[in-house]
Amino acid sequence: MGRAIVVTSGKGGVGKTTVSANLGTALAQLGHSVVLIDADIGLRNLDVVMGLENRIVFHVVDAIRGKCAVQKALIKDRRMENLWLLPASQTDDKDAVTPEEMRSLVNELKQMHDFVIIDCPAGIEMGFKNAIAGADEAIVVATPEVSSIRDADRVVGLLAAADVPARLIVNRINAALVKKGDMLSQADVIEILALELLGAVPMDDQIVATTNKGVPAVLEVTTKSLAAKELQRIAKKLAGHEVEAPATSIGFFTRIGRALGLAASPA
Amino acid sequence: MWSNIKNMFTAKSSASAAKGRLHLVLAHDRSGLEGGRLQAMREEIAAVIAKYVAIDAEAVEIQIETRSRAAQLTLSTPIQPRNA
Ligand SMILES: Nc1ncnc2c1ncn2[C@@H]1O[C@H](COP(=O)(O)OP(=O)(O)O)[C@@H](O)[C@H]1O
Ligand SMILES: [Mg+2]
């Protein structure tokens, strides 16, 4: 029986789709069998971020409506042995499916795969409720900004109410700005949200470049790929492997802060 | 010179401004109490206190803050000396 993990944030544009695509691919690199579900019905994106947009025949609403078998709606990623995408429908509304339907779909996929990664839409309405319905655990993605953290806090409250345990990824950190005191550090974000940190992903131009090409950054890791390496480290941690401390090269005081932040136990 | 050094340590970075604002905003969000309603409550409570002890209603301070996801409400006020 696999694990279903929803990637959520409240606010849009903070990196949910990027994190879903890269964690899913990195888990497949580790040898796990992974299905990515795009739960952003009406505004699908995970297909283009994965570079699989030209191969879509059926989508998640077709699978739920029984228009095709669930297996038929999955797109096999040819770059990997064990990675599939279940795309969102672009023509339906977010309320085309119910939480119960999503839960049974996710449960069916969990029978055959190690990980089901659900890319959640922005907002806290129907699309959010559908996306978290079948999830065993959640990853909350936040950028170190007031509006993102505020929205993440709402989502943390809703996840707690739904009994879905959550961990945090801080995305788009700019170490130089943190050092100057012009950006919140990951320790600040951990302290404010009182969540366990899974990882801190730096702002990295390579994410933009690989996304342009429809290639998850973890498939093109070089020595300079700071974000992709951190995403691979997070995937290992998710899968329960031993991992090193985060690799980001930031200052001494920030590291102390982080150590303190890490020591704080989640509420 | 001393004030320069002091400034160096107390000058607010934009990150600490963000943190301070977040603590306040989240305290309101988590408790479901808007800033304006909090002030209305402050005035009502001050009126109640004034029935029992001499206080300056203007000096009553109300504060809501968060500690690890739980919101804490604090109200404080100086009490005026009896013969003042
Ligand atoms: N760590 C990062 N460094 C640089 N750009 C990033 C990073 N994470 C995400 N992005 C970019 O930010 C934008 C929004 O990301 P996306 O994953 O689509 O967010 P969401 O799914 O939350 O709306 C995209 O253009 C993406 O390429
Ligand atoms: Mg998205």
Side-chain angles (χ1 to χ4, degrees):
Chain A
M1 188 70 150
R3 284 158 65 190
I5 306 174
V6 64
V7 179
T8 182
S9 68
K11 188 168 154 52
V14 300
K16 291 177 294 295
T17 302
T18 306
V19 164
S20 301
N22 281 285
L23 284 186
T25 308
L27 286 165
Q29 285 175 322
L30 292 169
H32 300 288
S33 142
V34 180
V35 178
L36 295 166
I37 302 183
D38 189 346
D40 202 344
I41 294 170
L43 280 176
R44 74 172 172 221
N45 267 329
L46 191 52
D47 56 333
V48 286
V49 172
M50 292 297 295
L52 299 172
E53 67 272 20
N54 292 327
R55 298 188 36 220
I56 298 177
V57 181
F58 297 109
H59 50 64
V60 62
V61 179
D62 291 333
I64 284 173
R65 296 266 166 279
K67 236 180 113 181
C68 66
V70 174
Q71 290 302 314
K72 274 213 94 163
L74 300 183
I75 303 170
K76 168 91 179 63
D77 190 316
R78 296 198 182 111
R79 296 162 297 203
M80 308 288 301
E81 270 310 307
N82 39 10
L83 179 61
W84 290 265
L85 170 70
L86 180 52
S89 156
Q90 185 71 336
T91 50
D92 292 284
D93 290 335
K94 295 209 191 309
D95 50 15
V97 298
T98 66
E100 286 66 39
E101 289 171 328
M102 274 299 278
R103 189 175 301 127
S104 76
L105 173 78
V106 169
N107 282 338
E108 186 175 342
L109 289 167
K110 272 165 59 181
Q111 307 295 320
M112 289 158 300
H113 302 276
D114 301 327
F115 288 94
V116 178
I117 308 285
I118 304 156
D119 182 15
C120 183
I124 51 174
E125 299 82 26
M126 205 56 206
F128 169 80
K129 290 182 184 129
N130 283 332
I132 70 164
D136 303 305
E137 48 195 293
I139 295 175
V140 174
V141 181
T143 59
E145 293 160 301
V146 175
S147 54
S148 166
I149 296 166
R150 182 194 202 173
D151 290 1
D153 189 73
R154 275 286 272 152
V155 160
V156 170
L158 293 170
L159 289 167
D163 264 331
V164 181
R167 287 185 281 180
L168 175 70
I169 291 182
V170 185
N171 188 28
R172 304 188 70 146
I173 296 180
N174 181 324
L177 277 185
V178 172
K179 207 168 172 182
K180 258 175 59 188
D182 278 332
M183 184 178 265
L184 292 167
S185 68
Q186 63 256 44
D188 294 329
V189 185
I190 297 163
E191 183 210 305
I192 294 164
L193 291 176
L195 278 188
E196 181 192 336
L197 182 75
L198 259 180
V201 182
M203 176 83 114
D204 185 347
D205 294 346
Q206 204 210 7
I207 294 286
V208 181
T210 51
T211 305
N212 281 337
K213 296 189 287 181
V215 179
V218 294
L219 285 179
E220 290 196 343
V221 176
T222 68
T223 47
K224 284 191 278 179
S225 315
L226 292 179
K229 281 188 195 159
E230 175 65 0
L231 285 157
Q232 284 178 320
R233 195 190 68 86
I234 294 169
K236 279 191 196 162
K237 196 166 169 180
L238 261 185
H241 298 263
E242 286 279 315
V243 287
E244 342 67 76
T248 30
S249 57
I250 46 178
F252 174 69
F253 287 107
T254 318
R255 277 207 299 279
I256 290 184
R258 177 202 285 154
L260 293 173
L262 280 173
S265 63
Chain B
M1 150 89 173
W2 172 240
S3 79
N4 275 350
I5 293 174
K6 212 175 133 193
N7 263 343
M8 233 173 72
F9 288 100
T10 53
K12 273 213 161 174
S13 69
S14 75
S16 61
K19 206 168 158 181
R21 292 176 62 216
L22 264 166
H23 273 299
L24 217 63
V25 163
L26 293 189
H28 291 296
D29 285 359
R30 287 171 184 174
S31 61
L33 191 61
E34 301 286 0
R37 301 269 303 153
L38 185 68
Q39 288 317 313
M41 179 163 81
R42 184 187 75 93
E43 281 160 31
E44 274 186 49
I45 296 176
V48 172
I49 297 173
K51 286 207 268 182
Y52 295 86
V53 280
I55 56 158
D56 172 7
E58 294 299 306
V60 175
E61 275 184 26
I62 199 160
Q63 215 177 357
I64 192 159
E65 56 185 340
T66 55
R67 295 196 187 119
S68 197
R69 300 211 63 77
Q72 170 92 19
L73 183 75
T74 333
L75 185 123
S76 66
T77 178
I79 297 177
Q80 285 169 354
R82 261 204 314 185
N83 47 7

